[in-house]
Amino acid sequence: MTARPSHEDFERIARGFSPDPASSYSLRAEAYVDPLWSTFERDAIFKRTWQWVCHTEKLREPGSFVTVEVAGQPLCVVRDQDGALRAFYNVCKHRAHELLQGEGRTSKIMCPYHAWTYDLTGQLRRAPETESLADFNVRDICLDQVQVEEFCGFVFVNLDPEAKPLAELSGDLGKEIMHWAPDVGRLTFAHRLTYDIKSNWKNVVDNFLECYHCPTAHKDFCTLVDMDTYKVTTHGIYSSHMAEAGKTANTAYGVEDATVKDHAVWWLWPNTCLMRYPGRGNFIVLHVIPIGPDRTLETYDFFLEEPDPNEAEVEAIRYIDDVLQAEDIALVESVQRGMSTPAFTQGRIVHDPHGSGKSEHAVHHFHGLVLDAYKNSAGA
């Protein structure tokens, strides 16, 4: 049986945190390095929150499907023949074999083990050699469903059957995205970058949520955007990070023919980062996937006006991959190493009451949500 944090553990992990970012310390180092918390978070956070799956373009047509793993659970998401989006545990009700693999199109869900066959609503339709079984009726068996939702051109799932809809939980996030990226639903997948990072997932999110480090660590990025206009605003389960494009030539990548003039970024609790960079119509999804207490998988999916990036977009992707990500990964891996020493317990949150990018109030907001999730799960 997996160990759970004790009452004393919960009391200790919250020490130093204040609801006021101007007087608060960060999360304690043990939340980033102790396997106890990493294991606990799977149930306390990732089995209870909305998790990004894909762009809706993959699931537009009846019969289209994708498979994904969320918090260690195998899922499949399908568009049924009537156009409804459905998500199931990707597990046969006979002997628990995996049903679908990868992504594609299908008219039915047939288990490759014993050919039990389900329709796209999850209803069992055929189970070979079961005619003589007592008290057995295929109509009594359905795949176990999980919540699924289309939101701003993307598909999300939630393992918690009691979770409120994402559109309700996220407040004005949908309005913000559609204001800054009205074409997001029409964009198409163009490229994916993948990183295996030697750091806790929360360090990756912390780093994303502040640009206090940007003038020191991201000098090229600070020419791409006008740091004097960088504004960070926290909301219920998300934060907005907005800035105008730089006013002069930048050293990141060329934006001479840009139709998108602003840097618009959102973080959605707990591990989805949504971005709109200067350039042509574009949208980037950064998905932060915890693997262990000191290991995180990160994917960058680029959605563009066309499936083949143009020359400027190739250069932008190269900059993110070779420069920006290299800089950030070095930062968070160094932080993880430092947190694993006796020299660090927790650090002071740097707070600008005007909400500039050079402030850590969005990190503080994230830490508050982490502690709330710990507390809520502890009391469950």
Side-chain angles (χ1 to χ4, degrees):
M1 184 175 179
T2 303
R4 283 175 58 87
S6 67
H7 176 71
E8 292 74 19
D9 291 327
F10 285 113
E11 284 192 340
R12 186 176 61 256
I13 205 68
R15 287 178 193 161
F17 181 85
S18 168
D20 178 7
S23 59
S24 183
Y25 283 81
S26 66
L27 274 176
R28 295 170 67 86
E30 63 190 273
Y32 297 81
V33 301
D34 190 338
L36 175 70
W37 294 106
S38 177
T39 301
F40 178 65
E41 286 167 352
R42 176 171 285 192
D43 292 331
I45 296 177
F46 292 96
K47 287 185 178 180
R48 298 185 174 195
T49 52
W50 287 95
Q51 295 292 309
W52 180 80
V53 174
C54 65
H55 193 285
T56 54
E57 71 171 347
K58 284 190 177 181
L59 292 164
R60 284 197 178 121
E61 301 301 322
S64 54
F65 73 89
V66 298
T67 60
V68 66
E69 183 177 293
V70 173
Q73 305 300 303
L75 306 177
C76 56
V77 185
V78 304
R79 181 78 67 179
D80 73 18
Q81 299 299 342
D82 293 326
L85 195 63
R86 298 177 183 270
F88 310 100
Y89 283 93
N90 192 20
V91 177
C92 184
K93 302 298 287 185
H94 173 222
R95 295 273 296 281
H97 196 280
E98 179 182 71
L99 292 166
L100 296 172
Q101 291 185 336
E103 58 189 60
R105 295 280 297 275
T106 186
S107 60
K108 59 190 177 183
I109 302 172
M110 187 176 77
C111 180
Y113 196 6
H114 300 99
W116 280 37
T117 304
Y118 307 81
D119 65 24
L120 299 185
T121 72
Q123 174 66 55
L124 182 64
R125 293 299 181 184
R126 178 175 178 269
E129 314 302 328
T130 58
E131 294 80 7
S132 61
L133 297 184
D135 301 318
F136 180 87
N137 190 324
V138 294
R139 292 190 297 272
D140 295 334
I141 299 176
C142 292
L143 298 178
D144 287 13
Q145 295 201 41
V146 300
Q147 291 204 68
V148 61
E149 186 172 338
E150 295 180 66
F151 181 78
C152 293
F154 296 98
V155 176
F156 289 79
V157 294
N158 195 317
L159 298 177
D160 182 0
E162 304 300 322
K164 293 181 180 179
L166 177 56
E168 177 182 340
L169 287 173
S170 60
D172 290 333
L173 175 59
K175 291 180 182 178
E176 286 191 30
I177 292 174
M178 297 313 297
H179 171 77
W180 293 102
D183 58 347
V184 62
R186 301 190 299 274
L187 299 176
T188 188
F189 175 77
H191 194 73
R192 167 172 280 195
L193 300 173
T194 303
Y195 307 94
D196 196 334
I197 304 172
K198 298 180 181 68
S199 184
N200 185 272
W201 73 277
K202 296 186 294 300
N203 268 328
V204 177
V205 173
D206 286 349
N207 184 71
F208 181 86
L209 289 177
E210 51 92 353
C211 220
Y212 182 38
H213 70 281
C214 291
T216 305
H218 300 316
K219 296 189 184 302
D220 295 311
F221 178 81
C222 289
T223 66
L224 179 64
V225 303
D226 182 352
M227 290 300 296
D228 290 336
T229 66
Y230 206 119
K231 178 82 171 177
V232 178
T233 309
T234 61
H235 307 271
I237 63 166
Y238 77 98
S239 55
S240 305
H241 307 247
M242 303 293 176
E244 297 175 8
K247 303 297 191 295
T248 59
N250 74 80
T251 57
Y253 60 87
V255 293
E256 292 78 14
D257 299 321
T259 54
V260 175
K261 303 293 186 180
D262 298 290
H263 169 81
V265 171
W266 300 268
W267 167 78
L268 173 63
W269 163 257
N271 60 325
T272 303
C273 307
L274 309 166
M275 296 173 275
R276 175 92 154 178
Y277 275 16
R280 280 203 308 175
N282 70 91
F283 209 83
I284 308 168
V285 179
L286 166 57
H287 195 203
V288 181
I289 307 165
I291 303 298
D294 57 358
R295 185 178 172 216
T296 299
L297 181 67
E298 190 177 69
T299 59
Y300 260 84
D301 281 355
F302 293 80
F303 300 92
L304 305 174
E305 293 179 6
E306 299 169 327
D308 295 319
N310 65 19
E311 184 176 346
E313 290 161 342
V314 168
E315 182 64 13
I317 294 170
R318 183 210 60 79
Y319 162 71
I320 291 173
D321 189 21
D322 293 348
V323 181
L324 190 62
Q325 274 297 97
E327 292 167 343
D328 276 331
I329 290 171
L331 292 172
V332 298
E333 291 187 342
S334 176
V335 168
Q336 186 70 27
R337 292 192 298 270
M339 285 184 168
S340 301
T341 72
F344 183 84
T345 301
Q346 61 190 148
R348 188 64 184 264
I349 292 292
V350 175
H351 177 236
D352 173 8
H354 301 293
S356 77
K358 300 175 185 177
S359 174
E360 296 176 322
H361 58 285
V363 177
H364 173 266
H365 172 243
F366 168 51
H367 291 179
L369 290 172
V370 170
L371 290 172
D372 284 346
Y374 287 175
K375 180 180 178 181
N376 292 338
S377 187

